[in-house]
Amino acid sequence: MKTLKYQSQSVAKLYFIGAIALFVGQIVFGLALGLQYVIGDFAFPYIPFNQARMVHTNLLIVWLLMGFMGSAYYLVPEEAETELHSPKLAIALFWIFLVAGALTIAGYLLVPYAKLAELTGNELLETMGREFLEQPLPTKLGIVVVALGFLYNITMTLLKGRKTSISLVLLMGLWGLALFFLFSFINPHNLVRDKLYWWFVVHLWVEGVWELILGALLAFVLIKTTGVDREVIDKWLYVIIAFALMTGILGTGHHFYFIGLPGYWQWIGSIFSAMEPIPFFMMTVFAFNMVQRRRREHPNQAAVLWAVGTSVMGFLGAGLWGFIHTLSAVNYYTHGTQITAAHGHLAFYGAYVLVVITMISYAMPTLRGRLANSKEAQAAEMWSFWIMTIGMGVMVLALTGAGILQVWLQRLSSTPMGFMATQDQLNFFYWLRLSGGVVFLLGLLTYLASFFIGGEPVTELSQAGGGAGRKTAPAQRA
């Protein structure tokens, strides 16, 4: 049975496979970092802590970007009702991106960072040395080239086909992603200006334009799996992204509290950051509402679980865990502690890791010539969701406990301890965090195993009622 509406959607498969491979690498380096917290000389001098951390965070960014690109290559042709503008360009850009990323990671691991900066011409335009933006100048330029080629391909596809709310919101998010990355080339010597532009990349990605991508991907999967009218989902999407942009852009102020900018940012940052959980809560209500109102029982129930999980975990991580330390009076004590790490881990997992896996879970079976994987494979995939989520939960609770104790011992106690002395008191939480990381890796391996589990795949879409006592209705054209 032909499951792909447009043959050029098949280029997404390359991106999805590449993304998952890099995801595995990210988790392996994350476990190495967890071990280095409790066994200080683990893997030293072969993989020092600073190098492992660069690889861990950079792999996170690269594999999520690759997941977004694959999702766009799958979604846009179907939404635009036309073939991709240039499948060959999409394939070429994948290999360029993958090879450039691999060479950059190899550079981090094999060459001292100062030497790497010297070898890659950092003196021509100094852009290296900042967290998350450690990439050498040639890599940054390569990212811009790949992003422009990708956006050209997607935009041209959209221009010649049907325009939908989902594809337009996705395109706006992707263009915003590329434009805000340009601030990574600005690295002023003034530390205040440096941090200002740095947050224009980091914050306005994850709490700005990436939320548009998140909303579009989630809406697409929910339309396909529930059969709810597109008009209903469009209205939810518009409201969610409006709140996300309003709170996310002005919420950048919570990074400006103590870096030398005017004091009014403490008010602006606190007020609008306190509102940032609203779009994520709306996303949770949206997902549950759409599943409740479903007009079809899609055979890919694993994708539905990932979609609902995205909304719930996104609200907890980006919303709740962000809110607990976002007010300036609280952030004064918690800034830069393990509470920040707890929020970062859960927010990235809930909002972006899960939405990319949601898209892969829905699209990959169709890329393999079926509507859904077998019940056995889906069961393993659902188990992987729960195992990974439990593992992440253990990690986040451990980091939260470590952060609370750190704040007390280092910043609130009548006899405050030094940083390293405080770290010695957090060992229990770091071991607990490491155990959560091991559980997470087991969940990821279970997810990988689900791709190879046999059984009878589902090849036909059955029409079914959405809930108890609801009369069966034919699915709308999605």
Side-chain angles (χ1 to χ4, degrees):
M1 173 183 177
K2 183 180 178 182
T3 54
L4 283 181
K5 290 186 177 179
Y6 301 95
Q7 191 56 40
S8 56
Q9 289 177 284
S10 60
V11 301
K13 190 174 183 179
L14 268 179
Y15 285 83
F16 290 152
I17 293 172
I20 293 298
L22 295 175
F23 184 24
V24 174
Q26 184 218 340
I27 301 309
V28 169
F29 276 92
L31 284 175
L33 285 168
L35 280 167
Q36 289 179 341
Y37 262 87
V38 292
I39 306 172
D41 58 355
F42 175 78
F44 187 83
Y46 308 106
I47 307 178
F49 181 86
N50 66 309
Q51 290 181 349
R53 190 173 188 275
M54 278 195 296
V55 174
H56 178 62
T57 54
N58 278 237
L59 280 175
L60 168 68
I61 295 167
V62 171
W63 89 256
L64 286 177
L65 291 178
M66 196 166 280
F68 290 159
M69 293 168 76
S71 300
Y73 282 133
Y74 184 91
L75 180 155
V76 169
E78 196 159 317
E79 287 290 293
E81 296 183 336
T82 183
E83 292 287 358
L84 188 64
H85 177 70
S86 176
K88 290 182 179 179
L89 177 61
I91 294 170
L93 291 175
F94 167 78
W95 289 111
I96 293 170
F97 196 21
L98 186 66
V99 171
L103 289 175
T104 303
I105 298 300
Y108 291 159
L109 294 174
L110 300 176
V111 183
Y113 192 67
K115 186 66 175 176
L116 184 64
E118 181 184 330
L119 292 173
T120 55
N122 191 58
E123 72 279 358
L124 300 175
L125 181 62
E126 296 178 350
T127 69
M128 295 176 67
R130 291 181 291 174
E131 185 183 8
F132 302 126
L133 303 179
E134 299 95 345
Q135 305 86 19
L137 180 61
T139 302
K140 285 192 175 77
L141 293 172
I143 290 172
V144 171
V145 170
V146 169
L148 289 176
F150 162 70
L151 288 168
Y152 165 78
N153 211 353
I154 292 296
T155 304
M156 293 302 291
T157 305
L158 193 59
L159 287 176
K160 69 178 182 179
R162 179 180 69 154
K163 285 78 175 171
T164 67
S165 300
I166 289 174
S167 58
L168 291 173
V169 168
L170 177 64
L171 192 66
M172 183 167 31
L174 293 169
W175 269 103
L177 184 158
L179 291 172
F180 282 120
F181 182 71
L182 296 178
F183 284 103
S184 69
F185 290 93
I186 305 174
N187 189 7
H189 292 287
N190 180 288
L191 188 60
V192 176
R193 291 183 61 222
D194 166 48
K195 297 303 289 184
L196 188 70
Y197 293 130
W198 185 79
W199 283 118
F200 284 176
V201 182
V202 177
H203 175 95
L204 292 175
W205 264 15
V206 299
E207 295 175 69
V209 292
W210 281 28
E211 290 187 22
L212 274 62
I213 298 170
L214 162 65
L217 298 184
L218 195 60
F220 175 79
V221 173
L222 287 173
I223 281 180
K224 298 300 178 182
T225 56
T226 65
V228 172
D229 290 345
R230 180 178 289 271
E231 291 77 11
V232 175
I233 288 181
D234 283 351
K235 290 174 184 176
W236 275 93
L237 181 60
Y238 282 137
V239 174
I240 289 169
I241 65 164
F243 267 88
L245 287 176
M246 178 184 70
T247 60
I249 292 173
L250 289 171
T252 314
H254 67 232
H255 300 299
F256 298 162
Y257 291 157
F258 315 117
I259 67 170
L261 292 181
Y264 55 73
W265 281 110
Q266 294 186 24
W267 284 97
I268 296 174
S270 295
I271 292 169
F272 285 94
S273 294
M275 295 168 64
E276 282 192 59
I278 295 175
F280 284 96
F281 178 71
M282 294 170 69
M283 209 170 287
T284 304
V285 176
F286 163 60
F288 277 97
N289 196 17
M290 294 307 104
V291 172
Q292 181 68 24
R293 297 172 61 173
R294 64 191 181 275
R295 304 184 69 174
R296 65 164 69 116
E297 289 290 348
H298 197 279
N300 194 341
Q301 288 302 297
V304 176
L305 175 63
W306 290 110
V308 173
T310 299
S311 63
V312 174
M313 300 307 295
F315 169 67
L316 291 175
L320 187 59
W321 252 259
F323 175 77
I324 63 175
H325 67 137
T326 198
L327 301 178
S328 59
V330 177
N331 192 260
Y332 181 78
Y333 297 100
T334 62
H335 189 80
T337 66
Q338 295 297 336
I339 292 176
T340 304
H343 160 59
H345 278 78
L346 191 56
F348 265 101
Y349 173 70
Y352 301 118
V353 170
L354 286 182
V355 80
V356 169
I357 298 180
T358 298
M359 196 68 196
I360 294 174
S361 179
Y362 171 77
M364 191 60 90
T366 67
L367 293 167
R368 299 169 72 190
R370 59 191 71 168
L371 277 173
N373 293 324
S374 66
K375 290 183 179 179
E376 296 83 1
Q378 287 194 57
E381 195 177 333
M382 291 178 178
W383 270 108
S384 75
F385 166 80
W386 290 111
I387 297 170
M388 280 197 282
T389 301
I390 290 169
M392 180 57 68
V394 171
M395 291 172 61
V396 168
L397 291 175
L399 287 169
T400 304
I404 293 170
L405 184 57
Q406 182 182 5
V407 169
W408 173 254
L409 293 177
Q410 193 178 327
R411 300 179 179 179
L412 286 177
S413 171
S414 56
T415 55
M417 300 172 65
F419 177 80
M420 291 308 296
T422 301
Q423 294 300 304
D424 288 338
Q425 303 302 312
L426 307 180
N427 246 17
F428 167 75
F429 293 105
Y430 290 151
W431 278 109
L432 192 60
R433 187 261 300 271
L434 180 61
S435 68
V438 172
V439 173
F440 189 93
L441 178 61
L442 292 175
L444 179 55
L445 294 175
T446 305
Y447 175 70
L448 295 176
S450 71
F451 284 94
F452 303 99
I453 293 176
E456 189 65 31
V458 182
T459 57
E460 293 183 5
L461 182 65
S462 61
Q463 308 293 337
R470 183 175 292 146
K471 187 177 180 180
T472 301
Q476 301 282 323
R477 183 176 80 98

